[in-house]
Amino acid sequence: MKLNKTAVHELEKCYAIAPLHYQNKEHILVAAEKVNKCLLFDLDGNLEDTIWDEPGGTMSMVQVPGSDGWFLATHQFYSPNDGAKAHIVLVRPSEAGWTVTNISDLPFCHRFSILKGKDQNYLIACTIKGAHEYKEDWRTPGAIYVAELPADIENYNENHQIVWTKLLDGLFHNHGYATDTENGSEYALVGTDNGVFKAVPPEKKGETWTLAQLTREEASDMVAVDFDQDGQKELITIAPFHGDHIKIYHKNETGVYENVWECPFTTEMAHAIWPVDDRTVLIGHRKGERRTMAFYYKDGYQVEVLEEHTGAANLFSFVKDGKIRVVATNREINEIAFYDLEK
C-alpha cells in the first residue's frame, strides 16, 4: 500500500475532520484542537472557506441530517486538562457568513455524533471525565449522554439548550468513539478504561437505548471491521489511553471478544484510527516515529507502515473518481494532508 500526497495546508494543532454536504457538493471540514480555525475544503483539497477563526477546541463535527451545510461541533475542549468550558454549537451558512450558536454546555465533552433511527435521529455525547481540579486529574469518571435530536434544532440556543439523559457513567478515560451499522441500524462504540461499549438507539421513538459491554480491557480508541471476512466484525483497538499497543479482538462461538493478535511493535501515543473499508484500517500515532500504518488481513493479520514523522491526530477516507482518498490532520507538524491511497 502507498499514500501519495496530493494537497497540503498548514493549520496549527489541526485535529477534527468531517464530511459536509453543502450547495449540492461534498466537502471536507477540518478544525483545530487549540484556539484556531475551522476550514472548508473541496474533495481535491482546495481551500474554499473559513468557517470560524476561533475559539477552536474542536474534537468532533457532524452534519445535521438532511441539511444544506448545517453541522454541530464541539468548542473549547482544548485538552483533557482544559475542557471544563466545552460545549456543542450549531453552525449554519448564511449570506453574511457562518453563524455559530451554543446549543449545549457539556463540560469535558470529547466525542459526540448523531445516530439515525428509523423514525427519530438521536444525539450521543461522551465526556472524557466528570470534573477537574488540577493537571492530570482523572479522579472523576466521565459518562455517555443521549438525547433526541430536535427537529427544530435552529431554535436552540444558550438559553434553550439540549436536555440530556445519562446512559452510563463511571467511565474513566472516556476517549474512544466510533459509529457503525448493523442490520441497517446505526450504533456507537465507546472506548474507555472500563472496556468497549456498544450503544444502540431505540427502534422506535420513546423506547429505551440498548447498551452492551463488548470487552473489559481498556481501549483508548477502536473500530469494528471484518478483517478475515468470516461474517463477524473484529474490534481493533488502541490501548491503553493514548497508548502504544494495537490489538485485534475476534468474537468467538459464545459471542465473547477474545484478543487474538497484537501489533509486533509499539506505537507511542496512538490516536488516529479510521476504517478505509471492511478489510483495512489506518492508524496514526503522535509520538516517537509518528507513523501512519495500514492494518489488514492476508494469510493472517498484517501491518504496513505507510508514512513516518507526521503524527496524525485523526484520519478520514472517501472514494472519488474510483480512487480512495485520505485526509489526515498531521497535528504534530501542523499539516492538513490529502492523499490518494494505492492498495
Side-chain angles (χ1 to χ4, degrees), residues 1 16-19 28 61 111 177-180 221-225 227 236-238 271-284 292-296 306 312-319 324-329 341 343:
M1 265 179 249
I17 311 169
I28 298 293
M61 298 181 287
R111 302 291 192 198
Y177 185 84
T179 60
D180 208 334
D221 291 274
M222 73 283 109
V223 292
V225 293
F227 281 114
I236 180 168
T237 72
I238 295 167
H271 194 279
I273 185 167
W274 183 262
V276 172
D277 52 35
D278 207 27
R279 302 191 72 165
T280 308
V281 172
L282 299 181
I283 293 180
T292 300
M293 304 156 289
F295 292 79
Y296 58 94
L306 305 181
N314 283 292
L315 294 155
F316 177 80
S317 72
F318 56 93
V319 176
I324 299 173
R325 309 291 181 91
V326 175
V327 186
T329 45
L341 175 64
K343 288 191 67 177

Side-chain angles (χ1 to χ4, degrees), residues 112-127:
F112 82 93
S113 75
I114 298 169
L115 297 179
K116 297 177 183 178
K118 292 183 178 178
D119 59 2
Q120 172 70 48
N121 292 324
Y122 296 90
L123 286 162
I124 177 169
C126 302
T127 54

Side-chain angles (χ1 to χ4, degrees), residues 49 62 74 84 90 133 140-141 159 164 173 216 223 258 304:
D49 204 354
V62 61
T74 43
L90 169 65
E133 292 184 5
T140 308
N159 299 314
W164 298 94
H173 286 135
R216 295 192 177 276
V223 292
E258 296 179 320
E304 187 174 339

Side-chain angles (χ1 to χ4, degrees), residues 155-325:
N155 292 328
Y156 282 68
N157 54 52
E158 196 163 351
N159 299 314
H160 176 50
Q161 298 198 5
I162 299 293
V163 177
W164 298 94
T165 297
K166 188 181 291 185
L167 184 64
L168 181 67
D169 60 10
L171 301 176
F172 289 92
H173 286 135
N174 185 9
H175 181 270
Y177 185 84
T179 60
D180 208 334
T181 59
E182 185 176 62
N183 300 322
S185 298
E186 291 189 342
Y187 66 89
L189 292 172
V190 179
T192 74
D193 283 357
N194 313 62
V196 175
F197 296 84
K198 178 181 178 181
V200 184
E203 279 281 322
K204 295 181 181 179
K205 183 179 173 68
E207 294 182 347
T208 58
W209 285 68
T210 302
L211 190 65
Q213 185 163 5
L214 304 186
T215 73
R216 295 192 177 276
E217 293 188 25
E218 55 196 356
S220 182
D221 291 274
M222 73 283 109
V223 292
V225 293
D226 188 6
F227 281 114
D228 57 8
Q229 297 292 285
D230 69 344
Q232 295 281 356
K233 288 189 176 183
E234 292 107 298
L235 290 176
I236 180 168
T237 72
I238 295 167
F241 173 64
H242 282 176
D244 56 2
H245 293 274
I246 311 299
K247 301 180 181 182
I248 293 178
Y249 295 80
H250 198 287
K251 187 187 288 187
N252 65 20
E253 302 79 20
T254 64
V256 176
Y257 281 91
E258 296 179 320
N259 183 198
V260 296
W261 183 86
E262 185 167 336
C263 182
F265 53 85
T266 56
T267 53
E268 190 178 359
M269 198 179 178
H271 194 279
I273 185 167
W274 183 262
V276 172
D277 52 35
D278 207 27
R279 302 191 72 165
T280 308
V281 172
L282 299 181
I283 293 180
H285 67 103
R286 290 168 46 183
K287 291 184 178 180
E289 295 84 355
R290 299 181 302 187
R291 294 166 288 208
T292 300
M293 304 156 289
F295 292 79
Y296 58 94
Y297 189 93
K298 184 178 181 182
D299 300 321
Y301 299 105
Q302 307 288 339
V303 56
E304 187 174 339
V305 176
L306 305 181
E307 193 173 40
E308 292 186 327
H309 311 302
T310 49
N314 283 292
L315 294 155
F316 177 80
S317 72
F318 56 93
V319 176
K320 182 177 184 289
D321 301 330
K323 294 181 178 180
I324 299 173
R325 309 291 181 91

